[in-house]
Every structure is written in structure tokens, then in C-alpha cells.
Amino acid sequence: MTTSPVFSPNAARETPVISDAAYLGSLKKVTQYYIVTALLALLVGTLMGPLQALNYGGINVYDTPILKALLKSYYQGLSLHGVLNALVFTQFFISGWMLYLPARDLGMRINMKFAWFTYILMTAGLLVAAVPLLTNNATLLYTFYPPMEGSPVFYIGAAVMVGSSLLVVGQVVNMWLRWKRANPGRVTPLVAFMCVATWMMWFVAALGIVTEVVFLLIPWSLGWVAGVDPLISKTLFWWTGHAIVYFWVLPAYISWYAFLPKHAGGRIVSEPLARLTFVLFLLNSTPVGLHHQYADPNISNAWKTVHMFLTFLVVIPSLLTAFSVAASLEDAARARGGKGLFGWMTRLPWGKPMFAAPVLALISFILGGAGGVVNASSTFAPVVHNTAWIPGHFHITVGTATTLTFMGISFWLIPHLTGKRLPSVRLASAAVWTWFVGMMVFALGMHWQGLVGVPRRALVSGAAQNVYKEMPIQIPQLLTAISGMILLVSMLLYFYVLFRMLLSRRVDDGEVSSPIPYSEVISPASPNLAGASALVRYTEPLMALWGVALLLVLLMYGPVLARLFANAELVPGWRLY
Ligand code: HAS
Ligand code: CU1
């Protein structure tokens, strides 16, 4: 059914041709459903954003009559914002993106009934969880730490939604194994390799949250058990909760490595290096979660320190990426006549939204990553933990590095899937640049406030005490409030462009007008294992590496959880908001 083009080492890969038009149409349709559901969640989630920014700008809009009618509290708004943006938008987008890419890259046929079933199940989970969220019965923030208790319906919906993503893992790994069987001795193409490694990582990561929700929170919220141990739940949550940030950002890495060079007019620097990066993430993303728990009792300092060093280790693949992607950009700029130490940057196509979105995302990630290293250092952590610094950090990681990259992807992926056209390059560019500027200003305001000691997750603008008025935070408050307005403009621009595109008529064949933007490669991997470099050969056995990743996380969490279970103390739930 598929035919692969002849291999030429440095040329851009060509997507294997799928001749079964009905199958291809269905694959594209399910991908489109995932992506559009994701973007709808982003729309509702980001609508709450300016409200939070105004709060940290010292302006309490939650007490205005309109908002009082819509939202019961600041915390309900914040819960919707966090769950929809961080959990729903990301998971749906990634499920579509990383099901479609390996299916096209390998040219494998997948079971479309199963693919649709997974999408419907995930959406059903989302809709079920949405009911208590919208009715203020799950105002638990996106971390839903017990003993704060919500409706069991929320935990059940969330479990179904997250569980469905594991079905995508199964489908992608299965497709890859079938490809391996049909192509003995071949090296997995790069994009498929990166997708499979990321899904494997997510499986190892998700075990924590699935255990927490299925075995602890659901029975507890249904009243089947007397109580819940908050620390065990929190530890299982962060087992997943750190690695989930790589589940959010690695799909962006895939586009930075594989597709951004093409948009820039340059080449992928080294395929073997990209493979190494993803294997390092597979092994090392999960056994680091205790860096969220430095302040928690009954976890020994020794284990916290081990996780801290492992966190520093997982920074390495990001730094490999930084230098590698920067080299691709420099390659592109010099090919266009760029000169000088930094002057070459002016030769990059900054007016092209598919280019500017991921590159501005990358620039924000330099600062987001540096802040992450600060958070992870146990000596600095007490200064920033639970302050406004932390939302500052994650709005330039998941909020920009991931989200802005996904926006950029939508500008070519939706035309590719649907045959529709991006209606306005200028408006799309304006959305991208205002998102970047808004998020950078927001991050500045929030990091600054955090350093002065303003707590995160607090209705600071409505505090009865004068404590915040006496702090020297007027400038960062102003910056934060302004950033919220810039971001409001940005999201209006983005969704205007998006809906105009989605509602327009099909005019092109997406395969021709907007093909998957594979890039040329400077240092490719040989297509056959026999002729491949050691790096390629040692990174290819992903099944074995998956086993090692699982073993590593059990080793790094086993003793910690054993001690917590030995001292378990069940407490009843409480409803705060
Ligand atoms: Fe984080 C808290 C540590 C990365 C998201 N993080 C959070 C929370 C979120 C989050 C949501 O150790 C809040 C959780 C909560 O609600 O409590 N984080 C790190 C570290 C990294 C890191 C060490 N975080 C991320 C990513 C996220 C994310 C990625 C989302 C996608 N984070 C922490 C810690 C906490 C934390 C603690 C807990 C804090 C506390 O006290 O509660 C690292 O992985 C970062 C490595 C990244 C780099 C940057 C590499 C730079 C690149 C760009 C290159 C640019 C180019 C452009 C090429 C070292 C790749 C060039 C441009 C031209 C024009 C040439
Ligand atoms: Cu983390």
C-alpha cells in the first residue's frame, strides 16, 4: 500500500506515499479532531488567563458581578485555567500530532477503528471531568492534592482521559514493532524514532498518576476507604508531574529538530545526536520528581539529593538540543548570506509565522530552562518554592516553549490535513509576536514578584491584610497586568486566524500545498543498522531502553514510597472552595 522513495543520504526525507485515499482521509480526520479539540480547550483555558494576570497586577476582577455569576471563586477560574491549558490542550494536541507523525513517517497502516475509539474515549473522559469542574465541584487546581476533595466524577473522568493516552502509546508502539518486523536490519526513521521514544517515556511517567487516581483517589472520593495519605498521593503525582513537562515539550522538540530547519531554510545538524537526546529523555525524565518535594517531610535528604543530581543530568539533552537547533538556524542564515558573530540572525525569515513561532518559543525556553535549574537546586528552591516565581517559570516553558510551537505547527498542519489555507500571514505573525512579548513580560513580572515573596495560587489582589500593598512590587505588578492584556489581544488574533482557516473552504490538496516539512540533514544516520554509527546502533533498541527506564524509576522511587507506605496515615477529605 505504501511505497518508499529511493534513499539519498543528505536529502530531505519524503513521506512514504499512501495510495488508499479513504484510509489517509480517515487518518487525517482523526488527527484534525484531536488538534481542534485541543485548541478549543486552549481557547476556554486562555480566556481565564487575563483574570489571573490582573490578580497578580493587584486588580481583583473576581468580585465583579459578571464574573461572580460565572465563577464561584478565583480558585475555580485557576482550576479551569490549569486543567484546560496544561492537561487537556497538551494531551489532545500531542495525541493527534504524535499518532499522525509516526503513521506517516513509517508509512504503516493503523487500525482506524481503534484510533477513533481512543479519541472518543478521551473526549468522553474530558466531558465527564468538565461537569464537576464547571459546577465548582472540582475546584482543586490542576494538581488536585488531597486532602482537598472533589467529586468522584472528576477523578473518574480524568482517569479515563489520561488512560486513553496510554491506548495511543499502545497503538504507536505496535505500529513501530510491525514496521521493525517488516524491515529487519533497518534504522527507524528519525521522526518516528522520536515519537516512539516520547510515548515510551510517557508510559513510564503516567504510572504514578494512574496509580494515584485509580487506587487512592477514586476509592477515597467514593467513600470506599476511610481516608487518604496526602504525602503518598503527592509523591505519586510528582512521579508523573515532572516527566509530564517533557511529555509537553518533547513534541515541540520533534518539530524543532525535524521541521524547523526546513522552515528556516537550513538543515538538521546530526540525526544520531537527535536520537541520543531522545534516549536520554526516555531514561532520565521520570526519576527526578522529588525536586518538587524538597519541603516535604518523611522523605530523606539523601533521596532528595539523588533526584536533584538526576535533574541536573536531564538538563543535558536540552542543552544538546539548544546547540544543535541553534546550529541549524545558523546554517540556514549563512546559506542566505548571513555574516558576523551574531549578524547572521537578521537573515532568518522572522516574518514567517511557521518560523517565528518555534524560534521565539526556543528563545523563551533559554530563560525557562535556566529558571528550571534554579528551581532544581535545593539551595535556591526555598527562595522560590510556592512563590509567583513558579508560574513565571512555567509560562515560559509549557506556556511558550510548548504552546507557541504548537501554534506555529497549527499554521502548516491544519492546511496539510484539510487542504485549507492560512488566511493571513500578517495576522498570524502578529499573534505569534504578541504571544511572545506578552509571555516574556508576564514572566518578568511574576519572577520578580516571587523573589519579593509573593505566593503563587493566591488571590493577592483581594487579600484583607495590607501586606501586599506594603511590598515593593508596584513595577512587577504593573508589568503582570499589562502582560495579561497583551496576551488577550494575542489569543484573539490567534483564534480569529484559526477559525477563519477552519471555516474556510477546502482549496488545495494538502499533500502538495503543505507537505510534512522534512528537512535536509548534514549528518544523517545510515538507513541500515549494519552501516550505522555506534550511536545509532546503541539507541535503536528502544524496547530494551524502555525496560531500563522502568527499572530506573522503580529504583529511584521504590525505597521512597516504601517508607511512605510504612508510615501511612489516612486523613479524611475536606472541601475548601
Ligand atoms: Fe519546570 C516547576 C525544574 C523544564 C514546567 N515546571 C514546574 C512547573 C511546571 C513546569 C508546570 O526543580 C510547576 C509545577 C507546579 O505546579 O508546582 N523545569 C525544571 C528543570 C527543567 C524544567 C530543571 N518545566 C520545564 C519544562 C516545562 C516545565 C520543559 C514545561 C514544558 N520545574 C523545575 C522545578 C520545579 C518546576 C524544580 C518545582 C519548583 C517548585 O519549587 O515548586 C529543565 O528541563 C530545563 C532544561 C532546559 C534548558 C534550556 C535549553 C534551551 C533550549 C533553547 C535554545 C534556543 C535556541 C534559539 C536554539 C537547559 C533548548 C536560538 C535563537 C536564535 C535566533 C539563534
Ligand atoms: Cu519538575
Side-chain angles (χ1 to χ4, degrees), residues 3-35:
T3 50
S4 294
V6 185
F7 177 76
S8 121
N10 305 85
R13 185 173 168 74
E14 279 174 41
T15 327
V17 176
I18 295 181
S19 49
D20 181 345
Y23 165 72
L24 183 60
S26 183
L27 179 63
K28 286 186 164 182
K29 181 108 307 147
V30 80
T31 307
Q32 195 191 332
Y33 269 71
Y34 272 120
I35 302 290

mmCIF file of all heavy atoms in Angstrom, residues 3-35:
data_model
loop_
_atom_site.group_PDB
_atom_site.id
_atom_site.type_symbol
_atom_site.label_atom_id
_atom_site.label_comp_id
_atom_site.label_asym_id
_atom_site.label_seq_id
_atom_site.Cartn_x
_atom_site.Cartn_y
_atom_site.Cartn_z
ATOM 1 N N THR A 3 4.713 3.148 -0.745
ATOM 2 C CA THR A 3 5.986 2.988 -1.441
ATOM 3 C C THR A 3 6.964 4.001 -0.881
ATOM 4 O O THR A 3 6.616 5.154 -0.654
ATOM 5 C CB THR A 3 5.826 3.255 -2.948
ATOM 6 O OG1 THR A 3 5.145 4.502 -3.099
ATOM 7 C CG2 THR A 3 5.055 2.167 -3.651
ATOM 8 N N SER A 4 8.197 3.544 -0.624
ATOM 9 C CA SER A 4 9.200 4.461 -0.080
ATOM 10 C C SER A 4 10.103 4.949 -1.195
ATOM 11 O O SER A 4 10.496 4.171 -2.061
ATOM 12 C CB SER A 4 10.031 3.752 0.978
ATOM 13 O OG SER A 4 9.212 3.448 2.069
ATOM 14 N N PRO A 5 10.467 6.247 -1.162
ATOM 15 C CA PRO A 5 11.348 6.758 -2.198
ATOM 16 C C PRO A 5 12.769 6.217 -2.033
ATOM 17 O O PRO A 5 13.120 5.713 -0.979
ATOM 18 C CB PRO A 5 11.314 8.275 -1.978
ATOM 19 C CG PRO A 5 10.548 8.509 -0.730
ATOM 20 C CD PRO A 5 10.046 7.224 -0.206
ATOM 21 N N VAL A 6 13.571 6.359 -3.060
ATOM 22 C CA VAL A 6 14.961 5.893 -3.007
ATOM 23 C C VAL A 6 15.727 6.757 -2.015
ATOM 24 O O VAL A 6 15.528 7.958 -1.934
ATOM 25 C CB VAL A 6 15.595 6.031 -4.416
ATOM 26 C CG1 VAL A 6 17.003 5.445 -4.429
ATOM 27 C CG2 VAL A 6 14.711 5.352 -5.447
ATOM 28 N N PHE A 7 16.649 6.118 -1.252
ATOM 29 C CA PHE A 7 17.369 6.859 -0.211
ATOM 30 C C PHE A 7 18.566 7.614 -0.772
ATOM 31 O O PHE A 7 19.342 7.082 -1.551
ATOM 32 C CB PHE A 7 17.838 5.860 0.851
ATOM 33 C CG PHE A 7 18.643 6.506 1.927
ATOM 34 C CD1 PHE A 7 18.019 7.252 2.916
ATOM 35 C CD2 PHE A 7 20.023 6.399 1.941
ATOM 36 C CE1 PHE A 7 18.755 7.865 3.906
ATOM 37 C CE2 PHE A 7 20.764 7.011 2.929
ATOM 38 C CZ PHE A 7 20.132 7.738 3.913
ATOM 39 N N SER A 8 18.679 8.863 -0.392
ATOM 40 C CA SER A 8 19.908 9.600 -0.695
ATOM 41 C C SER A 8 20.279 10.318 0.588
ATOM 42 O O SER A 8 19.445 10.998 1.176
ATOM 43 C CB SER A 8 19.646 10.557 -1.858
ATOM 44 O OG SER A 8 19.903 11.869 -1.495
ATOM 45 N N PRO A 9 21.515 10.102 1.087
ATOM 46 C CA PRO A 9 21.833 10.362 2.487
ATOM 47 C C PRO A 9 21.450 11.748 3.032
ATOM 48 O O PRO A 9 20.844 11.837 4.083
ATOM 49 C CB PRO A 9 23.335 10.120 2.581
ATOM 50 C CG PRO A 9 23.807 9.738 1.249
ATOM 51 C CD PRO A 9 22.652 9.606 0.317
ATOM 52 N N ASN A 10 21.803 12.821 2.341
ATOM 53 C CA ASN A 10 21.573 14.129 2.947
ATOM 54 C C ASN A 10 20.261 14.782 2.557
ATOM 55 O O ASN A 10 19.893 15.824 3.087
ATOM 56 C CB ASN A 10 22.729 15.082 2.590
ATOM 57 C CG ASN A 10 24.064 14.491 2.980
ATOM 58 O OD1 ASN A 10 24.639 13.737 2.217
ATOM 59 N ND2 ASN A 10 24.523 14.794 4.170
ATOM 60 N N ALA A 11 19.554 14.161 1.610
ATOM 61 C CA ALA A 11 18.315 14.776 1.113
ATOM 62 C C ALA A 11 17.238 14.754 2.191
ATOM 63 O O ALA A 11 17.287 13.949 3.116
ATOM 64 C CB ALA A 11 17.831 14.007 -0.104
ATOM 65 N N ALA A 12 16.269 15.658 2.044
ATOM 66 C CA ALA A 12 15.143 15.644 2.968
ATOM 67 C C ALA A 12 14.356 14.358 2.754
ATOM 68 O O ALA A 12 14.235 13.886 1.625
ATOM 69 C CB ALA A 12 14.257 16.850 2.714
ATOM 70 N N ARG A 13 13.843 13.821 3.842
ATOM 71 C CA ARG A 13 13.037 12.608 3.724
ATOM 72 C C ARG A 13 11.756 12.928 2.959
ATOM 73 O O ARG A 13 11.233 14.038 3.064
ATOM 74 C CB ARG A 13 12.687 12.113 5.121
ATOM 75 C CG ARG A 13 11.945 10.804 5.135
ATOM 76 C CD ARG A 13 11.785 10.284 6.549
ATOM 77 N NE ARG A 13 10.836 9.184 6.598
ATOM 78 C CZ ARG A 13 11.079 7.952 6.167
ATOM 79 N NH1 ARG A 13 12.264 7.669 5.634
ATOM 80 N NH2 ARG A 13 10.168 6.999 6.247
ATOM 81 N N GLU A 14 11.294 11.944 2.198
ATOM 82 C CA GLU A 14 9.991 12.115 1.557
ATOM 83 C C GLU A 14 9.002 11.184 2.227
ATOM 84 O O GLU A 14 9.330 10.032 2.506
ATOM 85 C CB GLU A 14 10.098 11.805 0.067
ATOM 86 C CG GLU A 14 10.656 12.979 -0.722
ATOM 87 C CD GLU A 14 10.889 12.602 -2.160
ATOM 88 O OE1 GLU A 14 10.047 11.907 -2.742
ATOM 89 O OE2 GLU A 14 11.940 12.991 -2.695
ATOM 90 N N THR A 15 7.804 11.697 2.488
ATOM 91 C CA THR A 15 6.803 10.885 3.168
ATOM 92 C C THR A 15 6.442 9.694 2.283
ATOM 93 O O THR A 15 6.140 9.890 1.104
ATOM 94 C CB THR A 15 5.518 11.713 3.372
ATOM 95 O OG1 THR A 15 5.896 13.065 3.584
ATOM 96 C CG2 THR A 15 4.708 11.204 4.531
ATOM 97 N N PRO A 16 6.482 8.467 2.836
ATOM 98 C CA PRO A 16 6.034 7.327 2.028
ATOM 99 C C PRO A 16 4.621 7.582 1.512
ATOM 100 O O PRO A 16 3.777 8.103 2.242
ATOM 101 C CB PRO A 16 6.048 6.165 3.023
ATOM 102 C CG PRO A 16 6.997 6.585 4.104
ATOM 103 C CD PRO A 16 6.904 8.073 4.176
ATOM 104 N N VAL A 17 4.382 7.243 0.255
ATOM 105 C CA VAL A 17 3.079 7.539 -0.355
ATOM 106 C C VAL A 17 2.036 6.538 0.142
ATOM 107 O O VAL A 17 2.300 5.338 0.209
ATOM 108 C CB VAL A 17 3.194 7.453 -1.896
ATOM 109 C CG1 VAL A 17 1.835 7.658 -2.548
ATOM 110 C CG2 VAL A 17 4.198 8.485 -2.393
ATOM 111 N N ILE A 18 0.862 7.049 0.520
ATOM 112 C CA ILE A 18 -0.240 6.151 0.895
ATOM 113 C C ILE A 18 -1.268 6.228 -0.225
ATOM 114 O O ILE A 18 -1.842 7.288 -0.474
ATOM 115 C CB ILE A 18 -0.857 6.589 2.239
ATOM 116 C CG1 ILE A 18 0.178 6.415 3.359
ATOM 117 C CG2 ILE A 18 -2.116 5.780 2.543
ATOM 118 C CD1 ILE A 18 -0.302 6.795 4.737
ATOM 119 N N SER A 19 -1.480 5.100 -0.883
ATOM 120 C CA SER A 19 -2.362 5.151 -2.060
ATOM 121 C C SER A 19 -3.836 4.990 -1.699
ATOM 122 O O SER A 19 -4.707 5.337 -2.483
ATOM 123 C CB SER A 19 -1.949 4.079 -3.069
ATOM 124 O OG SER A 19 -1.817 2.857 -2.382
ATOM 125 N N ASP A 20 -4.127 4.466 -0.497
ATOM 126 C CA ASP A 20 -5.522 4.254 -0.094
ATOM 127 C C ASP A 20 -6.101 5.586 0.419
ATOM 128 O O ASP A 20 -5.911 5.967 1.575
ATOM 129 C CB ASP A 20 -5.545 3.174 0.997
ATOM 130 C CG ASP A 20 -6.953 2.863 1.472
ATOM 131 O OD1 ASP A 20 -7.876 3.656 1.182
ATOM 132 O OD2 ASP A 20 -7.124 1.822 2.125
ATOM 133 N N ALA A 21 -6.818 6.276 -0.462
ATOM 134 C CA ALA A 21 -7.265 7.636 -0.135
ATOM 135 C C ALA A 21 -8.246 7.647 1.039
ATOM 136 O O ALA A 21 -8.219 8.566 1.869
ATOM 137 C CB ALA A 21 -7.910 8.271 -1.360
ATOM 138 N N ALA A 22 -9.089 6.620 1.135
ATOM 139 C CA ALA A 22 -10.085 6.594 2.218
ATOM 140 C C ALA A 22 -9.380 6.467 3.566
ATOM 141 O O ALA A 22 -9.716 7.151 4.546
ATOM 142 C CB ALA A 22 -11.040 5.431 2.012
ATOM 143 N N TYR A 23 -8.381 5.600 3.591
ATOM 144 C CA TYR A 23 -7.623 5.422 4.836
ATOM 145 C C TYR A 23 -6.901 6.712 5.220
ATOM 146 O O TYR A 23 -6.973 7.173 6.360
ATOM 147 C CB TYR A 23 -6.623 4.268 4.664
ATOM 148 C CG TYR A 23 -5.574 4.252 5.739
ATOM 149 C CD1 TYR A 23 -5.898 3.877 7.044
ATOM 150 C CD2 TYR A 23 -4.266 4.663 5.476
ATOM 151 C CE1 TYR A 23 -4.944 3.897 8.048
ATOM 152 C CE2 TYR A 23 -3.307 4.693 6.474
ATOM 153 C CZ TYR A 23 -3.651 4.312 7.760
ATOM 154 O OH TYR A 23 -2.712 4.363 8.753
ATOM 155 N N LEU A 24 -6.225 7.322 4.237
ATOM 156 C CA LEU A 24 -5.489 8.555 4.516
ATOM 157 C C LEU A 24 -6.445 9.651 5.004
ATOM 158 O O LEU A 24 -6.145 10.394 5.943
ATOM 159 C CB LEU A 24 -4.735 9.019 3.262
ATOM 160 C CG LEU A 24 -3.869 10.265 3.441
ATOM 161 C CD1 LEU A 24 -2.800 10.050 4.505
ATOM 162 C CD2 LEU A 24 -3.203 10.666 2.124
ATOM 163 N N GLY A 25 -7.627 9.712 4.375
ATOM 164 C CA GLY A 25 -8.617 10.715 4.773
ATOM 165 C C GLY A 25 -9.046 10.514 6.216
ATOM 166 O O GLY A 25 -9.147 11.470 6.993
ATOM 167 N N SER A 26 -9.251 9.260 6.604
ATOM 168 C CA SER A 26 -9.695 8.978 7.969
ATOM 169 C C SER A 26 -8.583 9.300 8.973
ATOM 170 O O SER A 26 -8.828 9.858 10.051
ATOM 171 C CB SER A 26 -10.114 7.512 8.067
ATOM 172 O OG SER A 26 -10.609 7.232 9.339
ATOM 173 N N LEU A 27 -7.337 8.970 8.604
ATOM 174 C CA LEU A 27 -6.201 9.272 9.487
ATOM 175 C C LEU A 27 -6.077 10.781 9.697
ATOM 176 O O LEU A 27 -5.859 11.271 10.811
ATOM 177 C CB LEU A 27 -4.912 8.712 8.859
ATOM 178 C CG LEU A 27 -3.618 8.939 9.629
ATOM 179 C CD1 LEU A 27 -3.647 8.242 10.973
ATOM 180 C CD2 LEU A 27 -2.407 8.455 8.822
ATOM 181 N N LYS A 28 -6.263 11.517 8.608
ATOM 182 C CA LYS A 28 -6.165 12.975 8.725
ATOM 183 C C LYS A 28 -7.322 13.526 9.536
ATOM 184 O O LYS A 28 -7.160 14.487 10.306
ATOM 185 C CB LYS A 28 -6.148 13.611 7.332
ATOM 186 C CG LYS A 28 -4.828 13.425 6.616
ATOM 187 C CD LYS A 28 -4.791 14.190 5.314
ATOM 188 C CE LYS A 28 -3.356 14.309 4.825
ATOM 189 N NZ LYS A 28 -3.262 15.090 3.599
ATOM 190 N N LYS A 29 -8.478 12.924 9.371
ATOM 191 C CA LYS A 29 -9.665 13.434 10.075
ATOM 192 C C LYS A 29 -9.515 13.245 11.583
ATOM 193 O O LYS A 29 -9.774 14.157 12.370
ATOM 194 C CB LYS A 29 -10.898 12.706 9.527
ATOM 195 C CG LYS A 29 -12.174 13.118 10.125
ATOM 196 C CD LYS A 29 -13.107 13.890 9.357
ATOM 197 C CE LYS A 29 -13.337 14.972 8.600
ATOM 198 N NZ LYS A 29 -13.772 15.734 7.757
ATOM 199 N N VAL A 30 -9.069 12.063 12.000
ATOM 200 C CA VAL A 30 -8.954 11.835 13.453
ATOM 201 C C VAL A 30 -7.885 12.773 14.040
ATOM 202 O O VAL A 30 -8.044 13.312 15.139
ATOM 203 C CB VAL A 30 -8.691 10.333 13.775
ATOM 204 C CG1 VAL A 30 -7.251 9.928 13.589
ATOM 205 C CG2 VAL A 30 -9.137 10.024 15.198
ATOM 206 N N THR A 31 -6.829 13.010 13.269
ATOM 207 C CA THR A 31 -5.787 13.934 13.736
ATOM 208 C C THR A 31 -6.380 15.327 13.903
ATOM 209 O O THR A 31 -6.155 16.010 14.909
ATOM 210 C CB THR A 31 -4.627 13.975 12.717
ATOM 211 O OG1 THR A 31 -4.203 12.643 12.466
ATOM 212 C CG2 THR A 31 -3.476 14.801 13.220
ATOM 213 N N GLN A 32 -7.177 15.724 12.912
ATOM 214 C CA GLN A 32 -7.802 17.047 12.963
ATOM 215 C C GLN A 32 -8.731 17.162 14.183
ATOM 216 O O GLN A 32 -8.755 18.190 14.858
ATOM 217 C CB GLN A 32 -8.589 17.233 11.672
ATOM 218 C CG GLN A 32 -9.002 18.650 11.391
ATOM 219 C CD GLN A 32 -10.009 18.693 10.247
ATOM 220 O OE1 GLN A 32 -10.012 17.829 9.370
ATOM 221 N NE2 GLN A 32 -10.875 19.683 10.263
ATOM 222 N N TYR A 33 -9.459 16.112 14.482
ATOM 223 C CA TYR A 33 -10.345 16.132 15.663
ATOM 224 C C TYR A 33 -9.537 16.342 16.938
ATOM 225 O O TYR A 33 -9.908 17.125 17.807
ATOM 226 C CB TYR A 33 -11.170 14.835 15.744
ATOM 227 C CG TYR A 33 -12.495 14.952 15.031
ATOM 228 C CD1 TYR A 33 -12.557 15.012 13.635
ATOM 229 C CD2 TYR A 33 -13.687 15.027 15.739
ATOM 230 C CE1 TYR A 33 -13.765 15.128 12.971
ATOM 231 C CE2 TYR A 33 -14.904 15.140 15.080
ATOM 232 C CZ TYR A 33 -14.941 15.193 13.706
ATOM 233 O OH TYR A 33 -16.142 15.322 13.056
ATOM 234 N N TYR A 34 -8.428 15.622 17.056
ATOM 235 C CA TYR A 34 -7.583 15.796 18.242
ATOM 236 C C TYR A 34 -7.101 17.243 18.347
ATOM 237 O O TYR A 34 -7.150 17.863 19.400
ATOM 238 C CB TYR A 34 -6.354 14.890 18.155
ATOM 239 C CG TYR A 34 -6.528 13.502 18.719
ATOM 240 C CD1 TYR A 34 -6.372 12.376 17.928
ATOM 241 C CD2 TYR A 34 -6.809 13.312 20.076
ATOM 242 C CE1 TYR A 34 -6.500 11.093 18.454
ATOM 243 C CE2 TYR A 34 -6.936 12.029 20.599
ATOM 244 C CZ TYR A 34 -6.775 10.931 19.786
ATOM 245 O OH TYR A 34 -6.903 9.673 20.303
ATOM 246 N N ILE A 35 -6.607 17.771 17.224
ATOM 247 C CA ILE A 35 -5.983 19.098 17.245
ATOM 248 C C ILE A 35 -7.047 20.165 17.543
ATOM 249 O O ILE A 35 -6.827 21.074 18.363
ATOM 250 C CB ILE A 35 -5.293 19.401 15.884
ATOM 251 C CG1 ILE A 35 -4.244 18.334 15.549
ATOM 252 C CG2 ILE A 35 -4.709 20.811 15.851
ATOM 253 C CD1 ILE A 35 -3.007 18.324 16.377
#
